[in-house]
């Protein structure tokens, strides 16, 4: 079948294009007669001089405490001190924890910012249960520690430690962002000394 | 053949990042459209009304801090006004002015968070709220100067304020008042004509004037629906009758109007602060009241225009040191009555924007 | 300035309309019988000159012998206010007519009173506990409630 060449709009003719393609193949073939040297070849040599011997524990602990992801647990007033800690001025992302997860399955730290009531207790317990191991809890503020000024009320749980295990207590009503950051530092110290393969 | 469908129930909250605390909505959906909604409260019910019956009048001021924790100064003010009304305590002029300055600064701080978290919920994740918190921190610094606290100030006292302002306060406030308008203009440039914001908010969640009055809405929710009702104007408390300011109102009553009202109110608050700074008299800041107050038998209801709406305290005294009954008229709770009317017929994604535009604080809803 | 209407003056007008409905009236408040509450509420809302279209707050006080419900009414049009009160002497099964049909703003507030004070509102469309959970024993805001522990 004859191709009507008047409708072809290419600048180059078919013959020219084929020729060019063949040239490229020949050039590459000529240049690729030897294998490309391994870029990481030097590494084997260097590694022999720079081996770091450590335990799995320390390695895992270093990874764990360098990037804690908190879960959303914002019942009351302390939530706003936590949000300001995460926001512009105090900038929690310096500690690798600016990602506040809405899903407990992706989080490993629960900062309990606010009063816990008996009506809310099953939900907190459930969120805690859904978090993947290993997980930690910071009780933030007086209400989270003991019920604070609401302890003695008919509906307030006197402290989160009735419901879930707490690792670090940060006092204050509400604690200042600096106090919360100090509490996070304490938690990191705790994590880095963790022994779980003994 | 028509496809058979059935309504679908979604439980929204209580642990959801856009519920501003622990709030739950039982929604029934037809596809994505909301056909029914029932708010469920009580996840932060701390029994403040009962606890307050067991403490003296002065000891109850810290409880009011923790009601609407984004507007502690306003809560303090409403409570002390009620007790002063009950016991007939006079307040020095300087204290009245300081109270107005604090209450208006608090209004700006609260509206900043309201606007920031509304945009956060609409999908502009983190960026607007970082801007808003930048300015809010400046206000918190001012509050820290006078009260030593960042969130729960406990600054107002029965018969005045706890202490006079330090020398550094007024220059810092002047600087803030000078700069803040440019920041508000900055938000306006960023947001007012933003296409996404308009698409998400304009015409969404309409609350008509009649409905707003019937459900006893107050604050920006009522004014967004076009009712010119601001307690600072219609029933002036403290020294609000000495200042000139306007009441911004909306026309349509949609989420965008409520958002605009908040932005304009920040400008009006700055106007009030400016006038109050100029008129600020010298003198005492606190009337001496007995350490153990025994107000006469009776009852008093005092209300203020808090950032969320009409905040009222109804206090009954039986001539003892403790209130016999301590009731809080919480604007957030009553504004939520409108939520079902506003959101039925809209998509579930609009529910977040509508809910954010009401601006509630769970500490106040559940108490 | 919101003008607080005198309960005594309004009592005179209500007496003609609803004979025997007023229990007591003074300068600040107006105490009516609970069986007339709904009719009086509708009257106050719809009568020109009163136009109490805005229900500010509803609350209840436990005076040990009786419960007292306090309704703070405001008219947005005329900018005047009135305090309406109703008493309920039955402690075992206190019942008051609901005003949700007149002012929808009473919805959550009445539910809260039912929850914390145990007063039933007849005609409320969705009367159930609001802030406490189902199965909670007692009503905390009653004076005899001693559920606070230390």
């Amino acid at each position: 079948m004859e191709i009507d060449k008047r409708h072809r709009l290419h600048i180059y003719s078919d013959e020219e294009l084929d020729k060019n393609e063949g040239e490229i193949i020949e050039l590459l073939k000529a240049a690729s007669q030897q294998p490309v040297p391994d870029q990481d070849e030097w590494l084997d040599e260097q590694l022999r001089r720079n081996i770091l011997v450590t335990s799995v524990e320390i390695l895992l602990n270093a990874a764990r405490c360098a990037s804690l992801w908190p879960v959303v647990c914002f019942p009351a007033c302390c939530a706003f001190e936590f949000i300001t800690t995460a926001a512009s001025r105090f900038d929690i992302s310096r500690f690798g924890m600016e990602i506040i997860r809405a899903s407990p399955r992706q989080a490993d730290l629960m900062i309990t910012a606010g009063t816990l009531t008996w009506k809310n207790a099953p939900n907190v317990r459930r969120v805690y249960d859904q978090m993947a191991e290993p997980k930690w809890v910071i009780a933030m503020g007086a209400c989270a520690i003991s019920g604070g000024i609401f302890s003695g009320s008919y509906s307030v749980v006197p402290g989160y430690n009735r419901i879930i295990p707490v690792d670090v207590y940060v006092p204050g009503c509400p604690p200042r962002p600096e106090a919360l950051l100090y509490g996070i530092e304490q938690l990191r110290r705790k994590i880095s000394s963790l022994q779980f393969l003994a | 053949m028509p496809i058979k469908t059935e309504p679908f129930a979604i439980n929204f909250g209580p642990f959801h990042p856009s519920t501003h605390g622990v709030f739950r909505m039982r929604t029934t959906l037809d596809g994505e459209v909301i056909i029914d909604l029932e708010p469920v409260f009580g996840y932060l019910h701390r029994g403040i009304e009962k606890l307050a019956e067991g403490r003296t009048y002065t000891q109850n001021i810290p409880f009011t801090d923790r009601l609407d924790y984004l507007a502690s100064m306003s809560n303090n003010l409403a409570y002390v006004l009620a007790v002063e009304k009950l016991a007939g305590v006079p307040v020095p002029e300087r204290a009245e002015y300081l109270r107005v300055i604090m209450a208006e600064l608090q209004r700006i701080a609260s509206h900043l968070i309201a606007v920031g978290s509304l945009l956060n919920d609409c999908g502009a994740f983190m960026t607007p709220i970082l801007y808003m918190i930048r300015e809010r921190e400046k206000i918190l610094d001012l509050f820290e100067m006078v009260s030593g606290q960042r969130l729960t100030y406990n600054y107002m006292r029965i018969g005045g304020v706890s202490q006079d302002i330090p020398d550094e306060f007024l220059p810092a406030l002047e600087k803030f008042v000078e700069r803040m308008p440019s920041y508000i203009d900055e938000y306006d440039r960023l947001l007012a004509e933003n296409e996404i914001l308009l698409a998400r908010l304009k015409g969404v969640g309409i609350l008509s004037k009649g409905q707003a009055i019937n459900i006893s809405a107050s604050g920006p929710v009522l004014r967004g629906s076009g009712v010119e009702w601001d307690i600072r104007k219609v029933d002036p408390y403290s020294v609000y009758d000495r200042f000139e300011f306007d009441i911004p109102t909306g026309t349509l009553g949609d989420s965008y109007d409520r958002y605009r009202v908040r932005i304009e109110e920040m400008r009006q608050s700055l106007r009030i602060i400016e006038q109050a700074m100029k008129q600020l008299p010298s003198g005492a800041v606190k009337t001496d009241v007995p350490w153990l107050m025994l107000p006469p038998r009776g009852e008093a209801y005092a209300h203020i225009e808090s950032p969320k709406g009409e905040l009222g305290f109804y206090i009954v005294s039986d001539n003892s040191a403790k209130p016999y009954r301590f009731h809080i008229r919480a604007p957030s709770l009553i504004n939520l009555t409108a939520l079902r009317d506003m959101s039925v017929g809209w998509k579930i994604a609009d529910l977040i924007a509508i809910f954010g535009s009401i601006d509630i604080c769970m500490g106040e809803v559940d108490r | 300035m919101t003008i607080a209407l005198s309960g005594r003056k309004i009592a005179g007008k209500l007496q003609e309309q609803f004979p025997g409905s007023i229990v007591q009236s003074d300068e600040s408040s107006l105490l009516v019988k609970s069986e007339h509450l709904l009719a009086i509420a509708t009257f106050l809302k719809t009568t020109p000159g009163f136009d109490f279209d805005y229900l500010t707050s509803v609350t209840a006080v436990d005076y040990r012998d009786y419960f007292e419900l306090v309704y703070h009414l405001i008219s947005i049009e005329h900018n005047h206010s009135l305090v309406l009160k109703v008493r309920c002497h039955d402690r075992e099964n206190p019942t008051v007519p609901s005003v949700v049909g007149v002012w929808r703003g009473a919805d959550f507030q009445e539910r809260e009173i039912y929850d914390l004070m145990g007063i039933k509102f007849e005609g409320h469309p969705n009367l159930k506990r609001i802030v406490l959970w189902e199965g909670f024993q007692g009503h905390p805001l009653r004076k005899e409630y001693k559920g606070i522990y230390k």
Side-chain angles (χ1 to χ4, degrees), chain B residues 49 52-53 300-302 312-316 325-330 333-334 367, chain C residues 56-61 70 72 109 112-113 141:
Chain B
E49 291 187 7
E53 286 174 12
Y301 177 78
F313 278 85
Y314 177 74
I315 295 169
V316 180
R325 175 84 171 92
F326 178 96
H327 173 71
I328 305 146
R329 190 260 185 219
L333 172 72
I334 297 164
R367 278 156 287 149
Chain C
T56 310
S57 100
V58 187
T59 186
V61 190
V70 188
H72 286 87
Q109 303 185 60
E112 196 189 328
I113 295 168
L141 279 184

Side-chain angles (χ1 to χ4, degrees), chain B residues 208-367:
Chain B
S208 73
K209 203 170 168 173
Q211 264 179 322
I213 292 173
N214 196 25
I215 63 135
S216 307
S218 54
V221 179
L222 183 65
R223 288 193 287 278
S225 297
V227 186
E228 209 177 312
W229 186 263
D230 188 318
I231 294 161
R232 292 174 292 172
K233 272 268 197 246
V234 298
D235 191 13
Y237 51 91
S238 199
V239 286
Y240 273 105
D241 45 351
R242 303 185 195 172
F243 306 119
E244 265 179 37
F245 60 98
D246 303 323
I247 310 175
T249 52
T251 44
L252 194 62
D254 56 0
S255 304
Y256 187 72
D257 277 348
R258 290 188 278 278
Y259 157 77
R260 287 303 308 169
V261 164
R262 293 206 175 91
I263 293 273
E264 287 306 318
E265 273 187 12
M266 284 196 247
R267 292 208 172 99
Q268 298 303 327
S269 292
L270 285 173
R271 264 178 83 186
I272 296 174
I273 296 170
E274 235 170 303
Q275 294 169 48
M277 260 183 347
K278 278 194 196 116
Q279 299 175 19
L280 184 66
S282 54
V285 293
K286 193 173 185 294
T287 314
D288 278 335
V289 290
W291 184 73
L292 209 59
M293 264 183 83
L294 301 174
R297 205 173 280 274
E299 58 185 55
Y301 177 78
H303 55 178
I304 68 157
E305 187 69 35
S306 93
K308 308 277 190 293
E310 178 180 345
L311 174 70
F313 278 85
Y314 177 74
I315 295 169
V316 180
S317 158
D318 60 345
N319 198 14
S320 72
K322 301 166 184 172
Y324 186 77
R325 175 84 171 92
F326 178 96
H327 173 71
I328 305 146
R329 190 260 185 219
S332 297
L333 172 72
I334 297 164
N335 285 351
L336 272 180
T337 320
L339 183 64
R340 188 180 178 280
D341 292 1
M342 282 185 198
S343 45
V344 167
W346 291 97
K347 298 235 162 72
I348 189 128
D350 296 322
L351 174 63
I352 309 289
I354 295 166
F355 181 75
S357 76
I358 301 178
D359 181 26
I360 60 153
C361 184
M362 287 321 288
E364 196 175 62
V365 174
D366 295 337
R367 278 156 287 149

Side-chain angles (χ1 to χ4, degrees), chain A residues 75-122:
Chain A
C77 333
C78 288
F80 263 87
E81 283 303 74
F82 179 50
I83 289 168
T84 39
T85 314
S88 7
R89 192 181 198 172
F90 296 96
D91 195 12
I92 209 170
S93 53
R94 293 177 290 161
F95 302 91
M97 42 191 298
E98 76 273 27
I99 309 175
I100 297 159
R101 302 315 300 187
S103 163
R105 290 180 184 82
Q106 301 162 343
D108 41 20
L109 170 64
M110 186 189 236
I111 296 179
T112 60
T115 322
L116 181 64
T117 61
W118 286 113
K119 190 168 179 174
N120 200 16

Side-chain angles (χ1 to χ4, degrees), chain B residues 6-298:
Chain B
E6 57 182 36
F8 178 64
I10 273 200
N11 183 40
F12 205 110
F15 272 77
H16 188 278
S18 68
T19 55
H20 302 202
V22 272
F23 178 63
R24 183 169 150 212
M25 290 171 268
R26 241 182 246 149
T27 53
T28 312
L29 307 176
D30 175 20
E32 256 191 275
V33 180
I34 298 166
I35 53 174
D36 194 17
L37 182 146
E38 196 200 341
V40 183
F41 320 89
Y43 296 99
L44 193 55
H45 176 67
R46 299 168 288 195
I48 289 179
E49 291 187 7
K50 183 73 179 179
L51 287 173
E53 286 174 12
R55 299 184 194 202
T56 65
Y57 285 93
T58 316
Q59 283 174 339
N60 278 331
I61 301 174
F63 278 136
T64 63
D65 281 324
R66 284 150 186 87
L67 283 172
D68 177 358
Y69 37 83
L70 291 173
S72 302
M73 285 284 186
S74 310
N75 298 341
N76 284 178
L77 178 58
Y79 172 67
V80 296
L81 280 177
V83 179
E84 280 158 10
K85 200 170 169 184
L86 190 68
V89 180
V91 182
E93 189 128 310
R94 186 175 170 84
E96 294 274 28
Y97 277 92
L98 289 181
R99 283 177 177 186
V100 168
I101 292 174
M102 298 307 160
E104 292 308 314
L105 279 176
Q106 187 72 78
R107 188 183 314 279
I108 299 173
S110 173
H111 281 349
L112 282 173
I113 290 293
V115 171
S117 50
L118 167 66
L119 296 164
N120 207 5
D121 296 347
C122 283
F125 188 64
M126 276 322 255
T127 312
I129 202 157
L130 286 183
Y131 276 86
M132 309 296 173
I133 284 179
R134 182 187 66 184
E135 270 71 75
R136 183 171 173 268
E137 286 290 333
K138 294 188 171 76
I139 299 174
L140 294 196
D141 281 349
L142 290 172
F143 285 156
E144 210 180 326
M145 270 187 210
V146 298
S147 68
Q149 253 285 15
R150 278 170 52 86
L151 203 66
T152 48
Y153 312 111
N154 191 16
Y155 181 58
M156 314 269 175
R157 290 287 186 278
I158 297 157
V161 295
S162 70
Q163 57 202 318
D164 205 346
I165 47 174
D167 294 338
E168 306 85 43
F169 181 80
L170 279 178
L173 180 64
E174 250 166 54
K175 205 166 141 190
F176 172 77
V177 170
E178 201 178 293
R179 287 188 183 174
M180 190 63 198
S182 68
Y183 290 129
I184 300 177
D185 292 342
E186 189 183 352
Y187 309 146
D188 251 11
R189 274 203 307 280
L190 274 173
L191 302 167
E193 299 296 319
N194 184 316
E195 206 170 309
I196 301 169
L197 188 79
L198 290 177
R200 289 297 305 270
L201 299 183
K202 199 96 184 144
V204 174
I206 294 172
L207 184 72
S208 73
K209 203 170 168 173
Q211 264 179 322
I213 292 173
N214 196 25
I215 63 135
S216 307
S218 54
V221 179
L222 183 65
R223 288 193 287 278
S225 297
V227 186
E228 209 177 312
W229 186 263
D230 188 318
I231 294 161
R232 292 174 292 172
K233 272 268 197 246
V234 298
D235 191 13
Y237 51 91
S238 199
V239 286
Y240 273 105
D241 45 351
R242 303 185 195 172
F243 306 119
E244 265 179 37
F245 60 98
D246 303 323
I247 310 175
T249 52
T251 44
L252 194 62
D254 56 0
S255 304
Y256 187 72
D257 277 348
R258 290 188 278 278
Y259 157 77
R260 287 303 308 169
V261 164
R262 293 206 175 91
I263 293 273
E264 287 306 318
E265 273 187 12
M266 284 196 247
R267 292 208 172 99
Q268 298 303 327
S269 292
L270 285 173
R271 264 178 83 186
I272 296 174
I273 296 170
E274 235 170 303
Q275 294 169 48
M277 260 183 347
K278 278 194 196 116
Q279 299 175 19
L280 184 66
S282 54
V285 293
K286 193 173 185 294
T287 314
D288 278 335
V289 290
W291 184 73
L292 209 59
M293 264 183 83
L294 301 174
R297 205 173 280 274

Side-chain angles (χ1 to χ4, degrees), chain C residues 13-60:
Chain C
K13 284 178 192 164
L14 285 176
Q15 200 70 43
E16 302 162 14
Q17 198 78 18
F18 309 100
S21 62
I22 313 291
V23 182
Q24 192 187 320
S25 63
D26 55 29
E27 283 307 309
S28 60
S29 65
L30 179 65
L31 180 64
V32 300
K33 281 187 181 159
S34 70
E35 56 264 34
H36 291 277
L37 173 68
L38 212 52
I40 289 174
T42 318
F43 178 78
L44 287 174
K45 190 188 173 188
T46 51
T47 311
F50 289 140
D51 294 309
F52 285 106
D53 48 1
Y54 190 91
L55 175 72
T56 310
S57 100
V58 187
T59 186

